[in-house]
Amino acid sequence: MKKTMQKPILAVGPFHPLQEEMEFFQLTVDGEIVTDIDARISYNHRGIEKISETLQFDQVPFLVSRVCGICSASHPLAYVQAVEDIVGVQPPERALYVRTIINELERVHSHMLWVGLAGHFIGYDTVFMWAWKYREPVLDLLEEITGNRNNYGNVKVGGCREDIPNELKPKILKELDGVEKKTEMLTKAVLDDPILHARLKGVGVLSKEDAIAYAATGPTVRGSGIAIDVRQDDPYAAYADLDWNVISQPEGDVFAKTVVRLLEVLESLKMAKEAVTKLPDGPIATEVKEIPPGEGCGRAEAPRGETFHYVRSDGGNRPIRHKIRAPSYVNVPSFKASCIGQHIADVTITLAAVDPCYSCTERLAVVDGHNNIIHDYETLLQMSREKTARIKKEIGAPEFKMEDI
Amino acid sequence: MSLKMWSLKKSVWVFHVNVGACNNCDIEVVNMLTPKYDVERFGIKLVGSPRHADALLVTGVGTHQAVIRLREVYRQTAKPCVVFLIGACACGTGIFKGGYHVAGPVDEIIREVDPDAIIAYVPGCPPKPEAMISGVVKVLSAL
């Protein structure tokens, strides 16, 4: 009889000192080499899509900006674009520019945050401290424009809530120049550093074919040589008027993703400055009185990739269905391609390299995890039908037929 | 003042517990450690295990899946400890009130485990790092 030995499993999480959020990875290891990876999520599921159905159209942007604290400009923007798609309203040009500026500033601080955390993950805390120091002026600018360092709450259906005062323009340009100088220095330092080359090059390679197969988005695929970007492919806000390039690198390793993010910071700073200089005069919002029945889609390029919102309205004052698809939802499964065959020590940085955001991703909760019953769509549907039948039996409701209506 | 309380007030080491937050408070918590605010100069330091911690920084609403772990983390923390509830969600579930996967508010969950827990509230969405530092100072001077 052949005896099989159980392979050792290494647990990472749910509360891991390196992780900001709860996530649980089971690494099947063979010595130092990772042979399989399994992710257990939904610790962070809060039921946002359902809560959204209880709020009015005007209140939802405040909720969806809390889908994820770092994408708190892109999620409301995608939602608002979906509702504007239903209404068929075009926001004034100044509002489009204000949206662009806020979104680009958000990308700058998000990418800087990632570069810092990546440094922290490989034990290079100097990079961590530098990057987080250089992103502070951006947060101060956002606070001056919108009133909050994160969670800006600046967009509404038909335009924006707060304007960028014209007096503030010179200050914004000056601060962004300062940030650009510091970022250039940081980029050169990172690209020159032999330690980072040794630690990141050839690690966690996501090939072009795998990136396509897993349908990954954002800097994750742009680091694998696929130059897709919603801002370029389906321009929204004022991106079509600005002069910029999509950054991509062919290698697919963690180093390529770092380079993509650092160069994107410089590109975003350039775009933000151009948008501030070109900022047209005029109102910042069109009045929208009511939302007609219908359905709409909105897309925006969040710092982590494409975020997609679908909203359906029945003519009332609340969305009757609101679907969110966040970028990490497609980026996280690509770990299957990039982590297997790596050393354990390289896995943390590979997991971090897609900049995963679990508060965005978790759209489903396992209701009965302790008995390991996983409710998929079919069983939930079955349970729902059984419940309806039971209630019908209890209250003695008549049989419902489609032909009756 | 007992020796344990006296020693709790010096160089507070904190363990960060996210029980269903949107990341915002978590970024601001990490922001406290970076050069602009730099609380490490006061001896406040993030540690990797609740057994090393004097204080828990709890962020988030407390989802059904997370509160089981939160109870366990609280039990593992060396007593006496201070629990800081950072942000509107942790203080009273905030905008997610009524969600089907929300088991919070977090303070009730912690009181179930230990009715005498020392709980401090830092409201805001997210609270600014200055507010968190002020919260720590207030609690330490009140102990």
Side-chain angles (χ1 to χ4, degrees):
Chain A
M1 201 175 82
K2 199 180 165 190
K3 258 192 175 175
T4 49
M5 206 174 73
Q6 206 186 352
K7 282 182 184 160
I9 288 178
L10 188 73
V12 181
F15 294 110
H16 191 270
L18 277 181
Q19 296 160 340
E20 288 303 300
E21 299 169 88
M22 286 168 292
E23 62 248 29
F24 187 27
F25 291 103
Q26 290 179 324
L27 309 176
T28 312
V29 290
D30 181 8
E32 273 281 296
I33 307 290
V34 176
T35 53
D36 198 7
I37 183 167
D38 190 15
R40 299 285 171 89
I41 57 168
S42 82
Y43 292 95
N44 222 331
H45 176 76
R46 285 151 292 162
I48 288 174
E49 289 175 10
K50 198 70 194 166
I51 297 173
S52 169
E53 291 166 18
T54 67
L55 297 178
Q56 295 178 11
F57 280 106
D58 265 0
Q59 298 171 319
V60 179
F62 297 105
L63 175 72
V64 289
S65 78
R66 283 150 183 87
V67 167
C68 164
I70 323 177
C71 311
S72 52
S74 349
H75 276 291
L77 182 57
Y79 162 78
V80 158
Q81 283 172 355
V83 179
E84 280 165 2
D85 187 19
I86 301 175
V87 184
V89 67
Q90 175 68 18
E93 208 170 342
R94 191 180 173 92
L96 296 178
Y97 272 80
V98 173
R99 285 175 180 183
T100 311
I101 293 165
I102 305 269
N103 269 272
E104 287 316 305
L105 292 182
E106 179 196 70
R107 196 178 321 277
V108 171
H109 92 68
S110 173
H111 281 351
M112 294 289 258
L113 175 145
W114 181 85
V115 171
L117 286 180
H120 183 52
F121 286 160
I122 58 170
Y124 199 168
D125 271 359
T126 316
V127 175
F128 175 41
M129 293 297 167
W130 272 7
W132 282 61
K133 185 181 171 189
Y134 300 151
R135 73 188 265 278
E136 280 296 331
V138 183
L139 291 178
D140 290 343
L141 274 184
L142 283 167
E143 188 179 5
E144 194 150 354
I145 297 168
T146 68
N148 207 353
R149 286 161 57 92
N150 310 84
N151 280 348
Y152 322 108
N154 193 35
V155 287
K156 65 173 183 180
V157 179
C160 288
R161 275 175 210 281
E162 291 102 2
D163 197 1
I164 294 178
N166 284 335
E167 311 84 80
L168 202 61
K169 277 187 190 173
K171 190 187 167 189
I172 298 177
L173 291 174
K174 193 172 147 246
E175 291 280 343
L176 291 184
D177 276 336
V179 177
E180 191 169 10
K181 239 177 241 157
K182 296 282 170 55
T183 316
E184 267 172 16
M185 194 190 81
L186 182 68
T187 312
K188 280 181 194 153
V190 166
L191 298 186
D192 253 2
D193 198 318
I195 301 171
L196 289 172
H197 277 259
R199 198 68 177 71
L200 301 180
K201 274 210 165 157
V203 168
V205 179
L206 181 69
S207 67
K208 196 172 177 178
E209 294 73 36
D210 282 336
I212 293 171
Y214 283 96
T217 63
T220 310
V221 287
R222 291 201 285 273
S224 298
I226 305 167
I228 54 165
D229 192 315
V230 184
R231 294 173 289 169
Q232 178 89 310
D233 305 333
D234 179 15
Y236 56 96
Y239 287 111
D241 303 347
L242 301 177
D243 177 31
W244 63 287
N245 301 312
V246 179
I247 308 282
S248 72
Q249 291 281 321
E251 294 89 358
D253 54 4
V254 179
F255 193 76
K257 287 171 189 146
T258 315
V259 173
V260 165
R261 288 203 173 87
L262 279 167
L263 296 180
E264 268 183 21
V265 171
L266 294 173
E267 205 66 27
S268 291
L269 285 167
K270 202 176 89 187
M271 287 156 86
K273 279 196 288 187
E274 194 188 341
V276 171
T277 328
K278 277 187 178 176
L279 192 66
D281 288 323
I284 57 156
T286 325
E287 202 182 351
V288 176
K289 289 216 165 129
E290 60 180 47
I291 317 286
E295 52 186 8
C297 300
R299 304 206 285 171
E301 181 78 15
R304 284 152 193 76
E306 176 193 340
T307 169
F308 171 86
H309 283 236
Y310 163 85
V311 180
R312 192 194 297 157
S313 156
D314 63 350
N317 60 357
R318 292 176 165 86
I320 57 168
R321 179 76 177 101
H322 183 185
K323 168 77 191 142
I324 304 168
R325 205 211 62 177
S328 296
Y329 187 75
V330 284
N331 286 344
V332 166
S334 73
F335 292 152
K336 275 264 185 203
S338 57
C339 286
I340 293 173
Q342 299 283 319
H343 287 272
I344 296 173
D346 291 338
V347 164
T348 31
I349 183 67
T350 312
L351 293 179
V354 309
D355 202 357
C357 178
Y358 296 92
S359 54
C360 283
T361 305
E362 297 179 347
R363 297 279 149 262
L364 180 85
V366 178
V367 181
D368 198 351
H370 284 281
N371 300 325
N372 269 332
I373 301 170
I374 294 177
H375 298 297
D376 58 4
Y377 177 76
E378 294 298 327
T379 38
L380 284 174
L381 197 69
Q382 184 63 28
M383 280 162 72
S384 156
R385 280 183 185 147
E386 279 166 13
K387 189 183 167 198
T388 317
R390 200 176 62 235
I391 295 170
K392 260 186 190 168
K393 209 172 148 192
E394 277 167 17
I395 60 171
E399 193 68 28
F400 173 79
K401 284 199 186 70
M402 280 305 278
E403 295 83 54
D404 295 344
I405 45 172
Chain B
M1 190 189 285
S2 71
L3 184 65
K4 277 181 178 174
M5 275 306 205
W6 175 80
S7 57
L8 176 65
K9 291 171 72 169
K10 310 285 175 187
S11 296
V12 184
W13 284 11
V14 297
F15 181 71
H16 171 216
V17 195
N18 175 338
V19 287
C22 70
N23 262 346
N24 236 328
C25 300
D26 313 289
I27 305 166
E28 296 292 61
V29 164
V30 180
N31 224 332
M32 283 204 301
L33 306 169
T34 52
K36 191 172 178 188
Y37 299 99
D38 194 17
V39 289
E40 276 189 14
R41 68 203 147 120
F42 305 123
I44 301 177
K45 191 182 161 203
L46 273 186
V47 290
S49 163
R51 295 185 199 280
H52 301 163
D54 300 308
L56 294 179
L57 297 181
V58 184
T59 58
V61 288
T63 60
H64 279 292
Q65 206 170 327
V67 291
I68 310 162
R69 279 85 182 172
L70 174 66
R71 290 194 192 103
E72 196 51 44
V73 166
Y74 183 80
R75 283 194 200 103
Q76 289 179 1
T77 315
K79 309 289 178 313
C81 72
V82 186
V83 181
F84 288 96
L85 304 184
I86 308 276
C89 296
C91 291
T93 67
I95 198 164
F96 303 108
K97 192 176 169 68
Y100 59 82
H101 207 234
V102 175
V106 176
D107 52 352
E108 284 174 16
I109 311 250
I110 288 176
R111 293 235 191 267
E112 275 170 27
V113 184
D114 177 9
D116 303 322
I118 309 168
I119 297 183
Y121 301 85
V122 184
C125 190
K128 292 179 73 170
E130 287 97 330
M132 298 184 199
I133 297 169
S134 146
V136 173
V137 171
K138 277 184 185 164
V139 169
L140 293 187
S141 40
L143 280 176

